[in-house]
Amino acid sequence: MIKPSSQKTFFVYLCLVIVLIVFMTPIYIIVSSSIKPSPIMFQKPPAFVFSPTWDHYVALFSERPFLKFITNSLIVALGSTAFSLTFGSLAAYALSRIRHKRMNDVAFWILSMRMFPPIAVVVPYYIIFKAAGLLDTPIALIIIYSTANIPLTVWLMKGFFDEVPRSLEEAAALDGHGLLGIFWRVTLPLAAPGLAVSAVFCFIFSWNEFIFALMLTGSQAQTATVAVMSFWSSDAVQWGRIMAGSFVILIPGVIFVLTCQRWLVRGLTLGAIK
């Protein structure tokens, strides 16, 4: 007879396997299609055993300056992430520590900036950056992505700053540290998991964003997400190259998340400092 605890464990693992299959199936399709010869791309029944080819990856970097587009995406994503973490964490610290009855209203107003649908503001942004001479530059995308990332960073970091005991800051003040010194040496290190979480969200949003990158960039500052869609035209859809580009785009995001994994895990034990 199977014990209830064993049944529960089996059910949990079964659910995990199902979820894993659901999430990994698209990844498998992308990877397999990127190395599958074009003639058998849509063969029925699907060909699970085939001789892999690297032609799609070769064409990806030879027919288009895809390495340049990857570099543009990295510049924009890292620049927006750094900018958002710097100013978002400072704003979040102020909201967490200032005692005022309207602080919650200010926090909600900041969050409301994140609620604008991108398509509603893309034309005003186009007019502004055209007048400023910033069209088709990474700076324009960094500014736009930061306006969306900073409110998210503020709300995430405020929750982590609220968890840091004020007694630690008071002790640091008695030791002679100023406000910035307390923030930099005491509060921010304790809220490092919050920085990691915010960095992951900011980077992923900036890396995957498509609408603004499509409308505000051309040949110079084009990002990888837009470059992949250049293989989709009215004449033909080069699925092999699209899948190869999609897989290449996945890699930096995975590396970034794995890099922040150490601080993400520490976020689970943040309450232990109370």
Side-chain angles (χ1 to χ4, degrees):
M1 182 177 179
I2 301 177
K3 297 181 180 180
S5 59
S6 301
Q7 292 178 346
K8 183 179 179 180
T9 303
F10 173 78
F11 179 75
V12 170
Y13 279 105
L14 179 63
C15 291
L16 290 175
V17 170
I18 293 174
V19 170
L20 183 63
I21 292 174
V22 170
F23 279 95
M24 292 303 297
T25 297
I27 306 298
Y28 167 76
I29 293 175
I30 291 174
V31 175
S32 62
S33 299
S34 68
I35 59 175
K36 185 179 292 186
S38 297
I40 64 172
M41 185 74 68
F42 298 101
Q43 177 180 306
K44 294 183 179 180
F48 294 101
V49 179
F50 55 87
S51 298
T53 177
W54 301 102
D55 293 343
H56 301 309
Y57 288 94
V58 173
L60 182 69
F61 289 95
S62 60
E63 296 180 6
R64 303 279 196 281
F66 201 74
L67 185 60
K68 174 185 176 182
F69 302 143
I70 290 287
T71 303
N72 289 339
S73 292
L74 284 173
I75 292 173
V76 170
L78 294 175
S80 175
T81 301
F83 191 87
S84 300
L85 291 181
T86 300
F87 291 94
S89 60
L90 290 172
Y93 184 68
L95 288 174
S96 176
R97 293 297 184 261
I98 294 177
R99 299 286 190 178
H100 194 276
K101 62 181 181 179
R102 293 296 183 184
M103 279 297 102
N104 289 333
D105 296 335
V106 173
F108 181 78
W109 176 78
I110 293 174
L111 182 63
S112 67
M113 299 295 102
R114 190 68 174 81
M115 300 177 185
F116 283 103
I119 196 65
V121 295
V122 66
V123 174
Y125 274 134
Y126 182 90
I127 296 173
I128 292 172
F129 288 120
K130 183 178 181 180
L134 293 176
L135 280 181
D136 199 16
T137 62
I139 296 177
L141 294 182
I142 290 175
I143 293 173
I144 292 176
Y145 295 164
S146 296
T147 60
N149 285 332
I150 287 177
L152 180 63
T153 302
V154 170
W155 268 78
L156 288 173
M157 290 303 300
K158 182 181 181 301
F160 281 89
F161 287 142
D162 288 341
E163 296 291 329
V164 178
R166 295 174 182 266
S167 58
L168 296 179
E169 297 178 349
E170 294 170 356
L174 292 176
D175 289 338
H177 292 289
L179 183 61
L180 288 179
I182 294 172
F183 174 76
W184 181 256
R185 297 174 182 272
V186 178
T187 310
L188 197 60
L190 292 174
L195 286 175
V197 174
S198 302
V200 168
F201 278 104
C202 292
F203 183 87
I204 291 176
F205 170 79
S206 303
W207 182 262
N208 293 332
E209 203 283 325
F210 179 78
I211 296 296
F212 289 120
L214 176 65
M215 299 297 294
L216 302 179
T217 63
S219 58
Q220 297 301 317
Q222 190 175 99
T223 59
T225 53
V226 177
V228 167
M229 295 307 298
S230 65
F231 292 103
W232 186 312
S233 65
S234 58
D235 298 329
V237 180
Q238 299 171 304
W239 287 109
R241 290 158 176 75
I242 292 176
M243 293 300 180
S246 300
F247 179 68
V248 172
I249 290 175
L250 284 174
I251 296 175
V254 173
I255 294 175
F256 190 83
V257 173
L258 291 177
T259 303
C260 298
Q261 184 180 15
R262 172 186 172 188
W263 292 275
L264 289 173
V265 174
R266 284 181 57 193
L268 299 175
T269 59
L270 183 62
I273 65 175
K274 283 189 173 181

